[in-house]
Amino acid sequence: MKTDRFGIESVKIGLEAHCQLTSLKTKLFCSCSADYRGKKPNTLVCPVCLGIPGSLPVLNLRAVELALMVALALNCKIPNETFFFRKNYYYPDMSKNFQISQYDRAGGNPLSVDGSVYIRVDHKRKKIKIRRVHLEEDPARLVYTGTIDASPYTLIDYNRSGVALLEIVTDPDLSSPREARIFLQKLRSILEHLGVSNGGLEGAMRCDANISIIGGPRVEIKNISSFKEVERALNFEIARQKDLVSKGISVKQETRHWDETRRVTISLRIKEEEQDYRYFPELDLIPINITKSWLEQLKSKMPELPDARRIRLTKEYGLPSYDAEVLTSDKSLADFFESCVKLGKAPKTVSNWLMTDVLRCLHNFNLELTETKFTPEQLVEMITLIEDGVISGKIAKMILPEMIKTGESPRLIVKERGLVKISGREELQLLIGQVCEENPDAVKDALKDEKAIHFLIGKLMQKTRGRADPKLADELIRAHLALLKSRVSTP
Ligand SMILES: [Zn+2]
């Protein structure tokens, strides 16, 4: 590990993840629908979520239950009582000029504190401390034309205003953008296993990141729109700060915005000490008593979480721990794996395909598994085609991207594109004869040195676009050479 003054150990990152409880049907304090995506702007609103004076919030108890399940999953301490605060600020995304949130100071009691999550970085487990997990309402959505600093006006859609949001705050325990990504991936997997949030939905998971290098001041990057973007934003910010330091310019303590299109951070405001929000207790909502029996009841209903699933995958299917870690880092990937195994395929074979070729394809297409039409049935069909000798592994790798992109059956792709393996002896013998004629020098070499046979096999594979049965090809080329040899040595 690098330890110079720009080294990885000099980077400190803390995250504030905002996760919508997308499994809820209604908002946090009113009965408006929380399913705002794709809906006409400002149609899912009422006096409560618009904050019209005189309207009274009513707490969605299911939101508290889901938040408590997340707090339990993150090993947090949960107080007997929790209540809400008004976080006062004037901003167009908050029509009532305050946000109902929770606060850990001034006598505030957030829903939970002092948790931890383990992540795996380069085969080592690392503990990331969770400062608190609390509930708050989502602000409205600001819509810009073009970029935030060039937009001539701002549109506001209040449909999102009041949607239940979990804020999950870590200590600055992360020491690289990659670690931040791994942590967020783990967090997302936990939320998805709990069934409280679908991180694949646009805007369901957003993030603020605090970052400092070489003991310098903290720079906060606000509103990174997805976990995918976090690593990018942090990488840019580290490079920017290092560049300043190397020029002898000091880094300013400030808040910056991540511009996804241009992939740069832009200064929003220079930050003084603690932000000057004023917090007042929200007297329209009574404190929530969290009893032991309520927590016990929730615990008994908690589904299997990624860490437990990882251990089960190694025990039940004999997978290496590393495979199980990769698969459970994404709930949909682990589900996909188990479906393939249930359809009768060998666990390690399925795991190998998923961890290497499938993940690589998804990465190249910048897609998530759930965004594709690719199904376990298709992967199983492809593995069967290899096992039955219809296609070679090489052909399988070739058609996989097309399967993932179009969701088409591998059998159909292979048939349409004429990719079935050539295992007819006569057809192969004919082709081998041609390859030998075209490469007389290689044949001479192969007659003297057996290792040169591989060159001829390579040429045959090229000619057949990988369709020759490799075992049969090897056998037939050797037979062909033996025949040539006998002709040469017999006068
Ligand atoms: Zn409402």
Side-chain angles (χ1 to χ4, degrees):
M1 194 169 275
K2 282 185 286 176
T3 49
D4 65 3
R5 70 188 200 105
F6 287 161
I8 205 138
E9 284 174 1
S10 60
V11 175
K12 276 192 170 176
I13 299 167
L15 297 172
E16 272 181 28
H18 296 102
C19 309
Q20 287 177 344
L21 297 173
T22 55
S23 66
L24 288 176
K25 293 197 166 57
T26 56
K27 295 183 181 180
L28 186 52
F29 299 116
C30 63
S31 56
C32 290
S33 168
D35 183 17
Y36 65 87
R37 290 179 182 79
K39 302 293 183 318
K40 220 169 154 248
N42 300 312
T43 52
L44 309 175
V45 290
C46 73
V48 173
C49 57
L50 287 176
I52 290 176
S55 62
L56 285 174
V58 177
L59 179 62
N60 182 340
L61 205 62
R62 185 70 190 141
V64 180
E65 291 200 333
L66 299 184
L68 286 172
M69 270 163 50
V70 174
L72 288 169
L74 299 178
N75 308 301
C76 291
K77 289 185 193 136
I78 298 167
N80 304 325
E81 191 182 77
T82 183
F83 38 90
F84 286 94
F85 268 64
R86 290 182 177 190
K87 181 178 177 182
N88 291 274
Y89 67 97
Y90 179 74
Y91 205 63
D93 67 4
M94 201 39 87
S95 58
K96 53 184 186 265
N97 291 342
F98 64 84
Q99 178 188 27
I100 303 179
S101 181
Q102 298 194 298
Y103 195 46
D104 56 348
R105 267 164 276 188
N109 234 4
L111 183 101
S112 63
V113 293
D114 293 339
S116 61
V117 173
Y118 282 90
I119 58 169
R120 186 169 299 212
V121 184
D122 300 328
H123 299 281
K124 274 192 217 119
R125 263 156 72 84
K126 179 170 177 176
K127 184 178 178 177
I128 308 299
K129 291 192 288 304
I130 305 289
R131 212 169 262 182
R132 65 175 186 274
V133 176
H134 74 239
L135 265 174
E136 62 185 29
E137 57 179 338
D138 210 349
R141 204 166 67 89
L142 299 181
V143 184
Y144 304 101
T145 53
T147 58
I148 188 171
D149 56 340
S151 184
Y153 51 81
T154 306
L155 297 167
I156 308 175
D157 178 4
Y158 285 100
N159 282 350
R160 199 180 75 182
S161 182
V163 164
L165 207 59
L166 268 188
E167 182 170 307
I168 299 164
V169 185
T170 76
D171 274 352
D173 289 346
L174 299 152
S175 35
S176 71
R178 192 172 144 249
E179 277 187 25
R181 177 173 52 82
I182 294 171
F183 166 79
L184 290 170
Q185 184 77 49
K186 178 83 182 246
L187 183 62
R188 179 178 154 170
S189 183
I190 291 170
L191 297 181
E192 292 192 337
H193 275 87
L194 283 171
V196 305
S197 187
N198 176 357
L201 292 175
E202 176 268 323
M205 298 207 161
R206 285 131 36 209
C207 206
D208 297 345
N210 284 303
I211 178 162
S212 66
I213 66 163
I214 335 163
R218 271 176 6 155
V219 172
E220 187 177 17
I221 314 173
K222 277 274 185 201
N223 285 324
I224 309 172
S225 69
S226 74
F227 286 0
K228 270 189 205 166
E229 292 291 324
V230 171
E231 192 177 10
R232 268 187 199 147
L234 288 170
N235 273 323
F236 173 86
E237 188 53 26
I238 290 176
R240 187 189 71 87
Q241 292 187 24
K242 280 181 183 172
D243 185 50
L244 287 177
V245 173
S246 69
K247 287 176 183 154
I249 306 168
S250 52
V251 175
K252 276 184 276 190
Q253 182 175 342
E254 62 180 342
T255 301
R256 298 179 72 85
H257 165 79
W258 171 242
D259 184 330
E260 248 175 62
T261 333
R262 288 182 291 167
R263 294 195 181 164
V264 292
T265 60
I266 315 158
S267 181
L268 281 183
R269 53 183 180 265
I270 303 290
K271 202 167 173 179
E272 305 300 329
E273 284 309 298
E274 172 80 10
Q275 213 133 8
D276 42 9
Y277 296 132
R278 287 163 304 139
Y279 287 91
F280 301 130
E282 169 56 273
L283 296 176
D284 287 343
L285 289 161
I286 55 165
I288 313 158
N289 283 315
I290 304 168
T291 60
K292 283 220 161 61
S293 63
W294 191 16
L295 284 179
E296 286 309 319
Q297 194 200 337
L298 287 174
K299 262 187 218 168
S300 71
K301 280 193 283 188
M302 297 252 287
E304 185 183 41
L305 293 172
D307 282 343
R309 192 174 196 184
R310 170 175 54 83
I311 293 165
R312 180 172 63 79
L313 292 188
T314 59
K315 284 191 183 146
E316 195 172 328
Y317 303 111
L319 282 186
S321 168
Y322 177 73
D323 289 40
E325 180 87 32
V326 174
L327 294 174
T328 52
S329 69
D330 178 346
K331 180 174 184 290
S332 59
L333 195 64
D335 291 348
F336 199 102
F337 165 80
E338 293 209 73
S339 299
C340 291
V341 174
K342 283 203 184 86
L343 290 166
K345 287 300 156 202
K348 186 62 182 141
T349 309
V350 174
S351 160
N352 285 349
W353 278 103
L354 287 176
M355 292 198 353
T356 54
D357 295 87
V358 172
L359 282 185
R360 193 182 312 125
C361 278
L362 291 172
H363 179 80
N364 289 344
F365 294 144
N366 196 22
L367 280 177
E368 309 217 12
L369 192 53
T370 48
E371 292 170 329
T372 68
K373 292 181 196 152
F374 189 47
T375 64
E377 286 74 16
Q378 284 155 5
L379 184 65
V380 163
E381 189 178 302
M382 189 196 85
I383 296 172
T384 306
L385 290 176
I386 304 170
E387 287 169 352
D388 291 351
V390 180
I391 59 171
S392 62
K394 210 170 158 180
I395 294 290
K397 281 174 200 275
M398 220 168 85
I399 63 167
L400 191 63
E402 195 174 327
M403 288 166 60
I404 290 175
K405 218 167 187 179
T406 62
E408 211 167 282
S409 129
R411 203 173 283 278
L412 210 69
I413 300 174
V414 162
K415 204 176 146 206
E416 274 172 3
R417 292 176 45 186
L419 294 172
V420 174
K421 195 150 81 176
I422 306 173
S423 37
R425 295 182 89 89
E426 277 173 33
E427 192 179 356
L428 267 186
Q429 271 165 340
L430 196 74
L431 291 165
I432 288 169
Q434 287 173 10
V435 166
C436 289
E437 259 171 52
E438 286 158 15
N439 300 281
D441 291 342
V443 173
K444 264 183 223 160
D445 290 346
L447 285 172
K448 276 180 261 159
D449 180 4
E450 202 173 275
K451 279 183 205 145
I453 289 177
H454 297 289
F455 178 82
L456 292 170
I457 293 179
K459 284 282 169 202
L460 179 70
M461 285 299 173
Q462 239 174 30
K463 205 177 186 66
T464 60
R465 288 179 299 141
R467 289 163 57 228
D469 179 325
K471 228 174 126 192
L472 188 61
D474 185 80
E475 183 199 316
L476 293 179
I477 286 183
R478 281 171 202 277
H480 187 83
L481 289 170
L483 192 71
L484 290 178
K485 211 171 200 170
S486 68
R487 277 189 204 149
V488 175
S489 52
T490 323

